[in-house]
Amino acid sequence: MASFALSFQSKRDDESGLSAFYNNKTTIIQEARVFNESPISPRKCRALLTRIVYLLYVGETFGTQEATELFFGTTKLFQHKDSALRQAVYLAIKELATTAEDVIMVTSSIMKDMQPNSEVIYRPNAIRALCRIIDPSMAQGVERFFKAAIVDRTPCISSAALVSSYHLFPFAKDVVKRWVNEAQEAVNAKATASFFGASSGGYLSFGGSSSNAPSGQQTVPSTSYITQYHALGLLYLIRQHDRMAVTKMIQQLGGGKTTSSAVLKNPMALCMLIRYAAKIIEEDPNVQRQMLELLEGWLRHKSDMVNFEAARAICEMRNVTAAQLTKPISVLQLFLSSPKPVLKFAATRTLATVALTHPASVAACNVDLESLITDSNRSVATYAITTLLKTGNEASVDRLIKQITGFMTEISDEFKVIIVDAIRSLCLKFPTKHASMLTFLSGVLRDEGGYDFKRAVVDAIFDMIKFIGDCKEQALSHLCEFIEDCEFTKLSVRILHLLGMEGPKSPSPKKFIRFIYNRVVLENATVRAAAVASLAKFGVNTDDKEFQDSISVLLNRCLDDVDDEVRDRAALYLRTFKEKQLADAYVKDDSSKLVAYVKDPQAAEQPLDISNVPKISRAQAAADAARPSSLDTIGVPTTKKVSDSPPPPSAEETRSAYAQQLAEVPEFAEYGSVLNSSSSPTQLTESETEYQVACVKHIFKEHIVFQYNVSNTLPDTVLEQVSIIMQPQSDDSGLTEDFIMPVPSLSASTSPSVLYVSFTRDSPDEYAIASFGCVMKFVSKEVDPSTGDPEEEGYEDEYELEDVELSAGGDYIIPSYTTFGAEWDRLRSGASATETFALSAMDSLKAACDSIIEVLNMEPLGGSETPQSTSVHTLNLSGIVSGGGGKVLARCRMTFSKGTGVTLELGVRAEKQEACNLVLAAVGG
């Protein structure tokens, strides 16, 4: 009843605005005078300190002067002996220390409370505060105190010292490494005693009396072994770069095949040890057998969390066999019948992942999974259904589909996407059951949902159309009904394109025209343009003259559209109707020739005339696959201002022009196709200088070509033998210069001219990142005003240019949209890397986000480019590495605090390890 009254009162205070005033920063600073009262009121001071910590916790920031005043105001309370007050003081100064100035002045007061002979309850708080106060250079001076605290028999003191050592390690590695023996002793510690202050009637003296007498103690035995968890974390931090030492530590602490002799008793410490073992297995397959024996031993531990962590580690091993999966799957099967929802959720999610690669091994759990379909926790039910769809047989498909339909409206879009992806795989596995699965997909397509969910359903139907011919007609009809009320432009455009490709091949193509033309009447300009293109394909791919005339009438109506793109497309397609050659080149689907040949029995008597089928190289196909979709630009506002000048070429048009230009250079004939070119030239000189130089970088499979566009603005001077000398800033650039193609003569009338510098990539599979100092060298000759010819004598000269950077974002990575959560999980078993960076120059999280996006040139997902908090944020990025590097994802976890700037933990997952290294090198450089 008391808690209900308190919550009701808090709610009433929030509604009336009293709580906002009570926790207002200005109000708290004004009330800080209670620290100067005499005598001090512990209750008032504790309440005010609590409000200060609360404000800092919710993201409020104090200015440097405000934080300093509050910090030194709280230090006046050091003279009071109330234990609870002293604990609150340490909590407050620990949080304020990052912003306040001259905090090092209270070091002696804190060290007095953390003396080994100081039997006070707030000694752990003093230790935790000290690591935030001291300068890294002072770590050696407090080494004696920390060593004593780490091996203290009181768990709370030992844990405080271990956690503080963990935080000190990045700044004082050499000092903390010397504490490894003490940390090892803490890991091996037996169950010891803890204590709490007993001077007051309340917990930790809150709400009790404010006696000035020293707090008493009462010994309370502690059996949690939590110190082992903290000590293990510090040990691994010290030894993480020594794989042999980590392997030895795991074997010593794991206890061999039997868990009864294990040193570690704390379940969280064992879970962490299991994760270290899994990492060792991933890095060094030679120790897999020894580590696997330890993991299988932990499957029999008395703690559920240890059992699950060991089972999950075995299931996620690379190249795990069905025999190795038997024991962990048996453990997960037991969890499926557990009364604890968290165990059921963890087991079903892990089994759903394993079912992707080993469905036969998971099939043994099908009976237990079926009982979870009706579980009250819809997350558990979703994963159970998903796993059954991957492991079930053809006979159970209809029953599962019927059960799924019942609760699709009760789960979130994230879980809906998981189910749809499972249905998508099932369609290809059991094509004879396409009718029930198509009915299910069309039903959920009409339900409410976000873009990711709708896209997953559309992709599943697309796959059914592509691989299951019997359902094509019905699937196209469902898509036509969907675009009648589709709110997503990208999906409408994709469906209209598919209708244009597949609709004309159907037995009755006329029935699709109404749906397509409705889009011309009712939708935005982007969808209208796609609808016009789709209509044109129906008109071109039909032999029915009356049907073609009807299409022409509809396209003629589009000539009055308000959007120029729609009008231009309609005019183009009407012209192609009159000239068959244009229709074949711009509208007709060339693959129809091959389809017609396969379907016509009489055509089999003669060989297919391959000369009529357009050809494309493998390199061109790879370049097209890596090219970002034009759909990514949908929704970008366009200006309505009419200009006499033509619009600038798009990035793809620019790359195409570069590729054609390079193909005409004989020296580059053996380089192959261009994988990527700079979207815009980089200016290496000021615009008002006499010589102007811009650089464009072209990436080939085994070479990199730097193209320099050089201009001479002096009409009375001619430059001869113009070349650019590129000098790498470091010796390990990974590039070797091949040759320079100079410009023989450069005058104002022949500017700009192009010169090339070619480099060979030492390791084509790796992505070289380098900086080059550039100098333009030439022979300068004056022009004779009377004849207009350059003089015979000239002089050698050189012109300093800006440095040229070969970077990850500008030259290798192309932005790419994806569903981050699903793609991140998909790449979990692929290449990955994690590193921490200190961005001390960044004054906000927004600035850090903008800088990272600019450096990596990757697509920010889910609006993560705009931080919602001023202290903590996660930025999700997606891109494609050109040249077959595949997909790469980056998760940037950032924290910001004044004085230290932004701390960045960059996690990267990719299809290739080289792509991960590229991203880390780009940020680290």
Side-chain angles (χ1 to χ4, degrees):
M1 181 64 71
S3 61
F4 175 80
L6 181 61
S7 63
F8 179 80
Q9 183 181 5
S10 300
K11 181 178 180 182
R12 184 177 59 190
D13 288 347
D14 286 340
E15 293 173 348
S16 63
L18 291 176
S19 179
F21 171 77
Y22 183 72
N23 289 323
N24 180 273
K25 182 173 74 171
T26 305
T27 305
I28 287 176
I29 293 174
Q30 291 175 350
E31 293 181 5
R33 59 179 177 271
V34 300
F35 297 148
N36 301 320
E37 291 180 354
S38 182
I40 292 174
S41 171
R43 185 183 62 81
K44 290 182 180 180
C45 292
R46 285 201 306 265
L48 185 59
L49 291 170
T50 303
R51 289 159 60 190
I52 292 173
V53 175
Y54 169 77
L55 280 185
L56 292 169
Y57 175 77
V58 297
E60 184 66 72
T61 56
F62 289 92
T64 302
Q65 184 177 355
E66 296 169 341
T68 303
E69 291 178 358
L70 286 174
F71 181 89
F72 285 101
T74 58
T75 58
K76 297 176 182 178
L77 305 177
F78 274 124
Q79 300 175 0
H80 204 279
K81 300 299 181 182
D82 185 88
S83 300
L85 176 60
R86 294 288 287 275
Q87 286 181 303
V89 167
Y90 280 121
L91 191 60
I93 65 173
K94 182 165 68 76
E95 300 299 329
L96 290 170
T98 56
T99 311
E101 295 179 337
D102 301 325
V103 296
I104 203 169
M105 294 172 62
V106 299
T107 304
S108 59
S109 299
I110 298 176
M111 291 179 66
K112 181 180 177 182
D113 284 341
M114 63 174 288
Q115 296 287 342
N117 58 355
S118 176
E119 299 294 340
V120 289
I121 195 172
Y122 41 82
R123 184 180 166 198
N125 303 88
I127 295 171
R128 292 176 184 270
L130 184 65
C131 81
R132 298 289 187 93
I133 297 295
I134 63 172
D135 188 83
S137 61
M138 297 177 58
Q140 190 168 359
V142 297
E143 181 176 6
R144 178 171 58 88
F145 298 102
F146 273 96
K147 281 186 173 182
I150 288 174
V151 297
D152 196 284
R153 294 183 58 81
T154 306
C156 58
I157 295 175
S158 180
S159 291
L162 289 164
V163 173
S164 299
S165 304
Y166 194 95
H167 292 306
L168 276 175
F169 184 81
F171 311 105
K173 288 186 175 67
D174 295 335
V175 176
V176 178
K177 282 181 178 179
R178 296 200 294 263
W179 306 347
V180 64
N181 292 332
E182 284 73 18
Q184 184 70 51
E185 186 177 341
V187 168
N188 299 327
K190 301 291 188 294
T192 54
S194 180
F195 59 85
F196 294 105
S199 61
S200 61
Y203 172 62
L204 294 181
S205 297
F206 282 94
S209 64
S210 55
S211 171
N212 291 332
S215 300
Q217 303 163 11
Q218 67 178 32
T219 302
V220 180
S222 172
T223 56
S224 68
Y225 298 95
I226 191 62
T227 305
Q228 292 184 334
Y229 174 69
H230 298 136
L232 181 61
L234 181 60
L235 275 178
Y236 180 77
L237 193 66
I238 295 172
R239 297 172 174 173
Q240 59 183 333
H241 298 298
D242 187 349
R243 187 184 302 168
M244 292 299 297
V246 174
T247 304
K248 185 177 180 182
M249 178 183 72
I250 294 171
Q251 293 173 340
Q252 287 178 343
L253 300 180
K257 296 182 180 180
T258 60
T259 58
S260 59
S261 60
V263 176
L264 296 180
K265 305 296 183 183
N266 181 266
M268 289 188 291
L270 279 169
C271 288
M272 189 153 54
L273 194 68
I274 291 170
R275 296 188 180 185
Y276 296 156
K279 188 174 182 181
I280 289 293
I281 292 174
E282 185 177 354
E283 294 175 352
D284 186 5
N286 296 325
V287 299
Q288 179 175 348
R289 186 178 58 83
Q290 300 96 305
M291 293 294 114
L292 185 61
E293 290 179 356
L294 288 173
L295 292 175
E296 289 179 347
W298 285 317
L299 290 174
R300 299 184 294 273
H301 196 271
K302 60 183 180 181
S303 171
D304 290 335
M305 74 166 73
V306 176
N307 298 154
F308 170 73
E309 194 66 38
R312 187 167 68 95
I314 296 175
C315 291
E316 292 181 355
M317 285 194 316
R318 290 183 182 178
N319 305 319
V320 63
T321 64
Q324 292 170 337
L325 285 173
T326 304
K327 293 181 180 179
I329 288 180
S330 299
V331 173
L332 295 174
Q333 187 175 6
L334 292 175
F335 287 167
L336 295 178
S337 56
S338 171
K340 300 177 182 178
V342 66
L343 287 179
K344 289 189 288 188
F345 176 79
T348 51
R349 186 172 66 170
T350 304
L351 289 172
T353 305
V354 177
L356 290 171
T357 53
H358 296 81
S361 299
V362 183
C365 305
N366 283 1
V367 175
D368 300 277
L369 288 168
E370 287 188 12
S371 64
L372 295 178
I373 295 177
T374 56
D375 194 271
S376 58
N377 188 319
R378 287 312 186 191
S379 301
V380 173
T382 301
Y383 276 118
I385 283 283
T386 305
T387 309
L388 286 170
L389 290 175
K390 298 169 186 173
T391 61
N393 53 33
E394 191 170 358
S396 63
V397 170
D398 292 333
R399 176 169 52 84
L400 291 174
I401 294 292
K402 185 177 180 181
Q403 290 176 307
I404 295 171
T405 309
F407 69 84
M408 280 295 285
T409 56
E410 302 176 18
I411 59 178
S412 64
D413 279 7
E414 183 181 0
F415 288 111
K416 288 180 182 178
V417 170
I418 294 174
I419 288 180
V420 169
D421 285 341
I423 295 287
R424 181 181 181 180
S425 303
L426 202 64
C427 294
L428 308 181
K429 186 177 180 181
F430 304 121
T432 57
K433 293 293 183 180
H434 66 82
S436 59
M437 287 183 274
L438 186 59
T439 302
F440 168 78
L441 291 174
S442 63
V444 298
L445 200 56
R446 291 189 291 269
D447 294 340
E448 293 293 328
Y451 171 74
D452 290 334
F453 168 54
K454 297 290 186 180
R455 186 185 63 175
V457 179
V458 169
D459 285 341
I461 296 177
F462 275 28
D463 279 357
M464 294 183 71
I465 293 172
K466 183 177 180 180
F467 298 107
I468 307 175
D470 295 341
C471 71
K472 182 182 296 184
E473 195 78 10
Q474 187 181 1
L476 289 175
S477 299
H478 288 312
L479 292 176
C480 286
E481 294 175 5
F482 172 63
I483 60 174
E484 286 289 305
D485 192 26
C486 178
E487 57 183 316
F488 304 108
T489 298
K490 291 184 181 182
L491 294 182
S492 296
V493 170
R494 290 182 60 194
I495 293 171
L496 287 169
H497 174 73
L498 181 71
L499 288 173
M501 300 293 291
E502 302 292 341
K505 304 173 189 175
S506 67
S508 54
K510 295 181 181 179
K511 67 179 182 180
F512 301 116
I513 301 301
R514 173 174 63 88
F515 298 99
I516 297 175
Y517 188 69
N518 281 347
R519 311 280 63 75
V520 177
V521 177
L522 302 173
E523 294 287 357
N524 57 50
T526 305
V527 178
R528 295 202 303 272
V532 168
S534 184
L535 285 173
K537 290 178 181 177
F538 277 86
V540 168
N541 292 294
T542 182
D543 297 327
D544 188 344
K545 180 64 176 175
E546 182 181 353
F547 183 36
Q548 191 177 58
D549 291 341
S550 300
I551 299 293
S552 299
V553 171
L554 297 178
L555 290 178
N556 270 301
R557 295 179 183 176
C558 299
L559 294 175
D560 298 326
D561 196 275
V562 296
D563 187 78
D564 55 351
E565 173 72 15
V566 178
R567 295 195 304 271
D568 292 346
R569 288 195 183 195
L572 170 66
Y573 295 138
L574 285 171
R575 175 67 182 276
T576 61
F577 285 1
K578 301 175 183 178
E579 299 184 29
K580 186 175 183 302
Q581 186 176 359
L582 289 176
D584 292 342
Y586 292 102
V587 184
K588 211 161 191 178
D589 180 16
D590 294 300
S591 63
S592 60
K593 297 179 181 178
L594 183 58
V595 174
Y597 177 82
V598 173
K599 289 187 176 180
D600 187 2
Q602 299 178 355
E605 299 175 0
Q606 298 179 352
L608 174 66
D609 186 4
I610 200 69
S611 62
N612 293 330
V613 180
K615 302 176 180 63
I616 183 172
S617 68
R618 188 181 299 274
Q620 286 174 306
D624 288 339
R627 185 178 300 126
S629 171
S630 59
L631 294 179
D632 291 339
T633 62
I634 291 177
V636 178
T638 56
T639 177
K640 295 295 183 181
K641 182 179 179 181
V642 179
S643 174
D644 295 333
S645 60
S650 65
E652 293 307 319
E653 292 172 339
T654 303
R655 291 191 181 98
S656 178
Y658 284 142
Q660 184 176 359
Q661 182 179 349
L662 292 168
E664 297 173 357
V665 181
E667 287 81 355
F668 303 147
E670 298 179 355
Y671 285 10
S673 60
V674 184
L675 302 179
N676 192 30
S677 294
S678 305
S679 56
S680 59
T682 303
Q683 299 297 327
L684 304 183
T685 58
E686 300 292 338
S687 58
E688 63 273 5
T689 56
E690 61 270 28
Y691 309 127
Q692 297 178 6
V693 182
C695 179
V696 180
K697 288 154 281 187
H698 307 289
I699 311 297
F700 293 84
K701 183 178 181 180
E702 297 181 356
H703 299 82
I704 295 178
V705 174
F706 295 86
Q707 171 185 327
Y708 292 95
N709 304 325
V710 187
S711 297
N712 176 15
T713 62
L714 301 178
D716 55 350
T717 303
V718 173
L719 308 182
E720 293 184 353
Q721 297 302 317
V722 182
S723 62
I724 292 181
I725 308 301
M726 300 180 63
Q727 185 64 39
Q729 304 285 13
S730 61
D731 296 334
D732 56 346
S733 63
L735 299 173
T736 303
E737 184 175 314
D738 297 325
F739 55 82
I740 301 174
M741 296 178 59
V743 177
S745 179
L746 180 65
S747 63
S749 59
T750 59
S751 296
S753 293
V754 177
L755 69 85
Y756 297 102
V757 181
S758 174
F759 284 82
T760 296
R761 299 168 66 176
D762 297 341
S763 300
D765 293 335
E766 298 180 358
Y767 302 93
I769 296 179
S771 178
F772 297 86
C774 298
V775 177
M776 184 172 70
K777 293 190 174 183
F778 51 87
V779 177
S780 179
K781 294 184 178 181
E782 298 292 331
V783 175
D784 189 341
S786 58
T787 62
D789 296 329
E791 298 178 354
E792 294 184 1
E793 296 294 331
Y795 62 92
E796 293 185 357
D797 198 1
E798 61 181 39
Y799 191 81
E800 197 80 24
L801 305 176
E802 296 287 340
D803 290 351
V804 172
E805 300 285 344
L806 189 62
S807 60
D811 303 305
Y812 295 112
I813 301 177
I814 300 171
S816 171
Y817 180 83
T818 189
T819 305
F820 187 84
E823 196 70 14
W824 184 262
D825 290 339
R826 184 183 73 83
L827 295 173
R828 177 168 51 187
S829 59
S832 63
T834 304
E835 196 163 331
T836 303
F837 301 92
L839 310 180
S840 56
M842 297 297 167
D843 57 358
S844 67
L845 291 176
K846 175 62 176 171
C849 289
D850 295 341
S851 178
I852 293 170
I853 294 172
E854 180 182 1
V855 168
L856 296 179
N857 190 35
M858 296 174 70
E859 182 75 21
L861 302 175
S864 59
E865 68 274 16
T866 305
Q868 301 299 319
S869 169
T870 58
S871 56
V872 180
H873 181 61
T874 300
L875 171 66
N876 297 328
L877 300 172
S878 171
I880 294 177
V881 180
S882 60
K887 177 77 72 175
V888 59
L889 300 179
R891 182 175 65 185
C892 311
R893 293 176 170 173
M894 294 174 277
T895 60
F896 172 76
S897 60
K898 288 188 177 181
T900 59
V902 175
T903 301
L904 166 66
E905 181 194 78
L906 177 61
V908 186
R909 289 184 181 177
E911 296 177 4
K912 293 186 176 181
Q913 186 62 44
E914 291 80 6
C916 294
N917 299 338
L918 174 67
V919 173
L920 292 180
V923 176

